[in-house]
Amino acid sequence: MGSSEPRLVLLGRQGAGKGTQSIRLAEHYGVIHVSTGDMFRTQATQGTAFGLEAKRYMDAGDLVPDEIVVGVIEESMVPGGPLGGGFVLDGFPRTLQQARELDRVIAGDPIDLVIDLDVPREIVFDRIAGRRVCEECQRVYHVNLRPENDWVCDTCGGAVRQRDDDTEDAVERRLELYERETVPIVDYYRARGLLTVVDGVGPGDEVFERLVKVCVEQLT
Ligand code: ADP
Ligand code: ZN
């Protein structure tokens, strides 16, 4: 590792459990969890001009344009800024262009490890359809475990809702975009020896153990 704190990127299809596992990994290593999706949703809820623009793309199941995403990330990456040390990136980079921009922004202190959290398409589709998310702390629930439609978050008491972009059409579109825009990043990192694939199927605790195991093996 370049610095004492790991710099990790988690890739994976929508619904692979990236969000939940990224938060746990960040806690485990005492580093920051960065989700561009969460950043956009928070801004949209606050009604900022930028958030409302991002929301138009998100609700349609489209990607937010690279310039906007990179601008947001770049602000946080400056030395001494919130991302000057270790981090777990969740949902960024999501296009080859973003991956190249990320390399440029953090040139002096590169990514240590990229994990592709692998869950097949058929499985993630069901997971997303039943997904409900806390508006405040972004904790993720599934309707199979809590059948009511709206309820209160166990962690923070926030309202738990279905995301506006978790409709069937938008999910279809996001999964297609993942294959087209994000899968090429897997090869980009593999070619540089940074990529590890982890099986994301199974209970959350087991998946987390697998993640920690590869981190211990690869972050030396
Ligand atoms: P999911 O991976 O389930 O789509 P996220 O919370 O990661 O959920 O992202 C939600 C939406 O936010 C995406 O569908 C996209 O519109 C936008 N978004 C998030 N991160 C990026 C990114 N790096 N590049 C472009 N758009 C992004
Ligand atoms: Zn909450």
Side-chain angles (χ1 to χ4, degrees):
M1 266 187 287
S3 62
S4 52
E5 296 183 335
R7 309 187 119 193
L8 308 175
V9 171
L10 234 69
L11 301 174
R13 286 194 178 82
Q14 290 76 7
K18 231 180 334 130
T20 313
Q21 299 293 350
S22 300
I23 291 171
R24 291 181 72 171
L25 268 183
E27 267 169 19
H28 182 80
Y29 281 108
V31 298
I32 297 177
H33 165 243
V34 183
S35 156
T36 39
D38 288 353
M39 283 170 153
F40 296 146
R41 276 187 292 278
T42 302
Q43 294 246 359
T45 308
Q46 291 168 350
T48 66
F50 163 70
L52 295 176
E53 190 185 353
K55 185 168 166 47
R56 288 205 336 252
Y57 294 99
M58 293 167 72
D59 286 355
D62 284 328
L63 291 178
V64 176
D66 287 339
E67 314 82 73
I68 298 183
V69 186
V70 172
V72 171
I73 287 288
E74 193 154 19
E75 274 172 19
S76 337
M77 289 278 183
V78 294
L83 295 182
F87 49 69
V88 179
L89 293 183
D90 161 14
F92 177 87
R94 207 178 283 220
T95 65
L96 212 43
Q97 176 68 17
Q98 290 178 17
R100 295 197 182 107
E101 294 282 344
L102 176 62
D103 282 346
R104 178 180 61 75
V105 172
I106 61 165
D109 194 357
I111 298 295
D112 297 302
L113 183 63
V114 178
I115 299 172
D116 180 11
L117 189 59
D118 186 39
V119 177
R121 213 188 136 97
E122 314 76 71
I123 297 182
V124 295
F125 204 87
D126 283 348
R127 285 193 189 173
I128 305 177
R131 175 160 77 180
R132 301 293 181 271
V133 182
C134 172
E135 280 181 345
E136 299 298 325
C137 75
Q138 318 289 340
R139 178 168 166 186
V140 177
Y141 297 84
H142 197 280
V143 285
N144 287 350
L145 304 175
R146 293 281 282 271
E148 316 92 283
N149 227 358
D150 291 308
W151 68 87
V152 167
C153 175
D154 291 336
T155 306
C156 78
V160 177
R161 302 248 149 80
Q162 184 164 39
R163 270 167 46 176
D164 292 341
D165 62 346
D166 277 352
T167 62
E168 211 166 295
D169 282 353
V171 170
E172 230 12 296
R173 178 154 173 70
R174 276 148 65 209
L175 286 171
E176 245 166 60
L177 276 171
Y178 186 81
E179 303 302 324
R180 197 167 76 222
E181 302 288 346
T182 309
V183 167
I185 304 183
V186 173
D187 295 329
Y188 174 83
Y189 286 122
R190 185 180 283 124
R192 295 165 47 193
L194 288 175
L195 188 90
T196 295
V197 180
V198 170
D199 179 8
V201 180
D205 287 349
E206 275 174 36
V207 175
F208 183 64
E209 274 172 32
R210 289 175 208 148
L211 287 168
V212 171
K213 186 161 173 279
V214 302
C215 286
V216 169
E217 285 164 2
Q218 312 267 334
L219 298 172
T220 45

